[in-house]
Amino acid sequence: MVIVSPSILSADFLNLERDIKRLESADANFIHIDIMDGVFVDNITWGPSTVSEIRKITSLTLDVHLMVNKPERIIDEYIKTKANIITIHPESTIFLRKTLLQIKNSGLKAGLALKLETPINAIENCLDLIDVVLLLTCDEGFGGMDFHPLSLEKISLLSKWRRDQGLDFKIEVDGGVNLETGKLCKEAGADILVSGSYIFKRDMKKAINLLKNV
Ligand code: DX5
Ligand code: ZN
């Protein structure tokens, strides 16, 4: 079974607690939280204080995807939230290893997220530090966009690379994931499916269960 990480970018922002409880009852594995700063991506969502509040109401794994410029400036604040996984983008910082090390040294899991057009060798010098590689499978910044087929090749390549080098990071895909694209991602080697609009527009429990079993 794959791990399903519903993205609360598709939740009702005025009723986040209610929607997170709904995700818990629907057997979500993780909660995916997209942090967007309006600079690295055009959209703006939440900051560390919201993540801390979410931490208080759920024990599900909090999977925080930082789409912010220069994450090194604010990483301590996210570490303090006690999220479980913090994922940063190599395109957003010149202090990649330093920032990943800060996450790891705090006992949290560290992830590297790659934009659609970023080649997978961007993770090459950080393999010793990462628990997760998140591949954006659509253009960044908004929910409800189409899955880009270029992603499948990247997943396969990454999966082959992981196998050949005996590595054990998880492969997470994020953007335009539904039953059809989720199945293709799993077949290509993905372990974690992030999904926002697909889950929130349907019977949540059914959608999550179907995604787990693609
Ligand atoms: C896109 C975000 C995704 C987004 C996915 O920049 O990182 O997490 O919420 O949403 P869907 O599943 O609707 O494409
Ligand atoms: Zn995301």
Side-chain angles (χ1 to χ4, degrees):
M1 276 213 277
V2 287
I3 291 171
V4 176
S5 187
S7 169
I8 55 167
L9 190 60
S10 291
D12 176 350
F13 281 26
L14 293 180
N15 288 290
L16 270 186
E17 180 168 11
R18 181 203 65 193
D19 279 359
I20 288 166
K21 293 290 166 196
R22 284 175 65 210
L23 289 170
E24 279 185 347
S25 318
D27 303 325
N29 299 113
F30 293 179
I31 301 281
H32 187 81
I33 309 176
D34 286 310
I35 304 293
M36 306 187 185
D37 66 350
V39 179
F40 183 67
V41 291
D42 295 336
N43 202 357
I44 297 180
T45 56
W46 309 285
S49 51
T50 305
V51 181
S52 293
E53 293 305 309
I54 293 175
R55 177 73 299 164
K56 289 182 196 160
I57 62 152
T58 184
S59 54
L60 286 181
T61 295
L62 296 185
D63 170 29
V64 174
H65 178 191
L66 290 186
M67 281 176 275
V68 304
N69 214 15
K70 301 189 180 159
E72 63 276 8
R73 293 174 308 165
I74 184 93
I75 200 67
D76 281 337
E77 297 307 311
Y78 283 100
I79 287 169
K80 281 189 216 154
T81 67
K82 300 214 162 48
N84 304 82
I85 308 169
I86 301 184
T87 297
I88 60 172
H89 276 264
E91 308 92 339
S92 70
T93 179
I94 55 168
F95 298 105
L96 195 53
R97 281 191 64 86
K98 184 180 158 208
T99 312
L100 286 170
L101 256 174
Q102 263 176 280
I103 300 171
K104 288 295 284 182
N105 288 342
S106 313
L108 308 182
K109 294 210 157 110
L112 263 191
L114 305 181
K115 287 172 49 166
L116 196 55
E117 69 273 23
T118 305
I120 60 161
N121 58 16
I123 68 166
E124 223 163 9
N125 296 325
C126 301
L127 290 173
D128 54 324
L129 296 177
I130 50 179
D131 300 289
V132 179
V133 179
L134 181 154
L135 296 179
L136 266 178
T137 44
C138 68
D139 288 323
E140 64 283 352
F142 296 89
M145 293 194 291
D146 285 340
F147 179 88
H148 198 295
L150 170 75
S151 313
L152 290 176
E153 218 174 293
K154 282 175 76 178
I155 303 166
S156 305
L157 217 66
L158 193 57
S159 168
K160 180 177 182 324
W161 211 19
R162 174 173 64 176
R163 211 172 33 245
D164 292 349
Q165 299 190 40
L167 300 165
D168 66 354
F169 56 79
K170 296 269 183 272
I171 301 178
E172 178 170 17
V173 291
D174 182 10
V177 173
N178 55 33
L179 276 193
E180 189 190 332
T181 57
K183 187 174 167 48
L184 295 172
C185 290
K186 187 201 171 180
E187 283 165 4
D191 315 285
I192 306 172
L193 303 179
V194 175
S195 183
S197 42
Y198 177 78
I199 289 174
F200 277 87
K201 280 188 187 153
R202 286 169 180 76
D203 175 328
M204 241 177 210
K205 194 165 188 159
K206 227 170 162 178
I208 290 175
N209 189 47
L210 286 169
L211 280 173
K212 280 183 183 173
N213 291 289
V214 284

